[in-house]
């Protein structure tokens, strides 16, 4: 069935049907949730979101867990992240956001081969 532009929906938009397309969407959703958690933590660190309350109690431990692999890699190569001077944004969270975004790109690149 053609849409209002005379093109055929999913196929015209470059989308594919099948298990690989579903897996790609699940990967984007999963990494999107991880990135949302890390961005929310940055907003808490910057003072945009309150650092007390239910939202912060949920986001802070979760974001620490999500950023832990990146902090572990930095510590193993001798770097490590110190606490930010005077509060501010935690560098491990920013590095975690960058790291998980790179991993998402790698996974999507692999999935695009199928």
């Amino acid at each position: 069935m053609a849409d209002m532009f005379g093109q055929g929906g999913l196929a015209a938009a470059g989308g594919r049907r099948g298990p690989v397309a579903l897996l790609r969407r699940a990967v984007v959703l999963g990494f999107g949730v991880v990135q949302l958690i890390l961005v929310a933590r940055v907003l808490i660190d910057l003072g945009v979101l309150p650092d007390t309350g239910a939202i912060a109690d949920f986001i802070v431990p979760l974001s620490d867990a999500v950023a832990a692999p990146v902090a572990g890699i930095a510590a193993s190569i001798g770097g490590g992240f110190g606490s930010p001077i005077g509060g501010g944004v935690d560098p491990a969270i920013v590095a975690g956001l960058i790291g998980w975004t790179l991993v998402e790109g790698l996974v999507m690149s692999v999935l695009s081969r199928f």
Side-chain angles (χ1 to χ4, degrees):
M1 175 174 218
D3 60 9
M4 63 186 222
F5 300 110
Q7 299 171 342
L10 267 179
R16 294 181 228 159
R17 297 176 189 254
V20 175
L22 181 63
L23 182 60
R24 293 171 81 182
R25 289 180 181 163
V27 166
V28 169
L29 177 66
F31 281 106
V33 169
V34 168
Q35 292 166 346
L36 179 68
I37 290 167
L38 292 173
V39 167
R41 172 61 183 271
V42 169
L43 293 176
I44 289 171
D45 288 345
L46 290 174
V48 176
L49 294 176
D51 58 352
T52 58
I55 294 175
D57 291 341
F58 177 73
I59 294 294
V60 171
L62 203 55
S63 63
D64 286 339
V66 169
V70 176
I73 291 170
S76 70
I77 60 174
F81 298 109
S83 61
I85 298 171
V89 178
D90 186 0
I93 300 299
V94 174
L97 183 60
I98 294 168
W100 283 112
T101 302
L102 291 173
V103 171
E104 178 187 12
L106 179 66
V107 170
M108 292 304 290
S109 175
V110 168
L111 287 177
S112 71
R113 307 262 185 232
F114 297 102

